[in-house]
Amino acid sequence: VLSYYRLKTREKTDWMQKIQDLPFPSQDIYHVVIFPTIKESRDILEPGIQSVLSQTFPTDRTILLLAIEERASLEIHQAMISLKKDYASHFFHFENVIHPANLPGEAKVKGANVTYAARYAAGFLRQKGIPYENVLVSCFDSDTIISPQYLACLTYTFMVTPNRIQASFQPIPVYHNNIWDVPGFARVIETGSSFFLLMEATNPEKLVTFSSHSMSFKALVDVGYWPVDMISDDSAIYWKAFIHYDGNYQVVPMYVTVSMDVAGCNNFKQTAISVYKQKRRWAWGVENFPVVMRAFIKSSQISLFDKIRYSFRLFEGQISWATWGLLLSFISWLPVLMAGQDFLGSVLYYTAPRITRTILHLASIALIISIILNIGLLPSKRPHHTLLKRIGLALEWLAIPIIVVIFGSLPALDAQTRLMLGKHMEFWVTDKKRTTV
């Protein structure tokens, strides 16, 4: 609720005016914006480019890069050439950066693609004499549409953040681009993802970069760019920076939205498969755990207290992801349903229904608040629904116990089991289907 209030309040802020009111100049700040693509068509990428073009921050200090996989189809390459032709003149620089296939040491992951584009940007900035310290880089998913004030808010936040080079900046992701085109279960699970980031924003110490995010270009170069052989590049870059700077690295929440697509296909079954695969890919972030643990063991600069604190947080987060849905939905009822004779005569057996009832009442309050906030977060431009349809949209939330198991716990268990057994998992590109924006 606190984060929602902050988000709605800061939507009305004139960030460019706040920048101008600062006692130090901002004219030297530049932005590098990267959109990676391999199979996304023009109709997916163009709204994102237009959203960068519509920023209150001047586009003559914005460098826009389309990071294109060489192995993309001829149709995709032609579409990206067309986009460059139409939009290049509107930015300080616009380039299609072709990432060669099968480079040594690289896997077929997004991190390899965006790293190649960032290395191109580094060369361009050197050529233009622009210091890395004055540049912010934003790595967006191909379907990302940013708020008109995103770059201005990012610039202001960067300028007023102490030790700003050693910081990432995390907006609030919402999945509104095609929210009305997907089945109800997909709406509920993605709204839950937004709620999670809203909650985490109130405690920045728990924040880890997720999906579309921004950071200092100097820090990106210092840590060696995004990993080129890991699936979870968005969270891995945070841990890479945290370790490089001996724990002196932070994620600063930004109360501004970036809107993306809900994973969607042509029918219910294909959408369910796409959502499941997407969540499994997110849950593959568990691969960070062994990497971070090895780095903590080797590091003598990070304090023991921080090592224990961050290790527990990373471990607990992954375990909770895989288990809490099952625990709340099913396992918590098993002691009563499968009780032996000894338990049947205990005080706990007779008090358990009252305890459960109290928990459910409290949970119902939270559910009602979630529904209200969900309505508030939905796009202002929405189709006209009948009263019956609006009731149905609210009732979708009653399916949470099933949804969090199928699209929460099971994908996490799947990913963790694969890692435990040494099973390789390739980067799966989410299917995009959009008829409304």
Side-chain angles (χ1 to χ4, degrees), residues 285-316:
V286 69
E287 67 178 334
N288 289 320
F289 185 76
V291 175
V292 172
M293 291 306 101
R294 285 197 295 269
F296 279 2
I297 291 171
K298 294 178 181 178
S299 175
S300 59
Q301 300 300 316
I302 302 174
S303 70
L304 179 61
F305 175 75
D306 280 345
K307 288 179 181 179
I308 294 173
R309 183 162 58 110
Y310 284 99
S311 298
F312 176 78
R313 184 183 305 165
L314 185 56
F315 181 78
E316 186 269 340

Side-chain angles (χ1 to χ4, degrees), residues 9-28:
T9 301
R10 296 180 191 182
E11 280 180 352
K12 304 171 186 177
T13 302
D14 186 344
W15 292 104
M16 284 304 297
Q17 184 60 53
K18 289 180 73 68
I19 290 172
Q20 293 167 9
D21 292 341
L22 290 173
F24 37 87
S26 64
Q27 289 80 4
D28 294 333

Side-chain angles (χ1 to χ4, degrees), residues 51 70 137 153 165 206 214 219 239 267-268 270 282 303 333 335 364 406 427:
S51 72
E70 182 185 50
V137 57
C153 176
I165 299 299
K206 288 187 175 182
S214 304
W239 291 112
N267 55 54
F268 185 96
Q270 289 179 339
W282 289 3
S303 70
W333 300 94
S364 298
I406 297 176
F427 188 94

Side-chain angles (χ1 to χ4, degrees), residues 37-52:
T37 183
I38 181 171
K39 67 177 185 179
E40 292 80 11
S41 56
R42 176 173 179 140
D43 65 310
I44 296 295
L45 276 157
E46 189 168 21
I49 296 173
Q50 290 174 343
S51 72
V52 179

Side-chain angles (χ1 to χ4, degrees), residues 252-265:
V252 179
M254 293 201 308
Y255 289 95
V256 62
T257 60
V258 292
S259 181
M260 292 169 284
D261 287 13
V262 179
C265 293

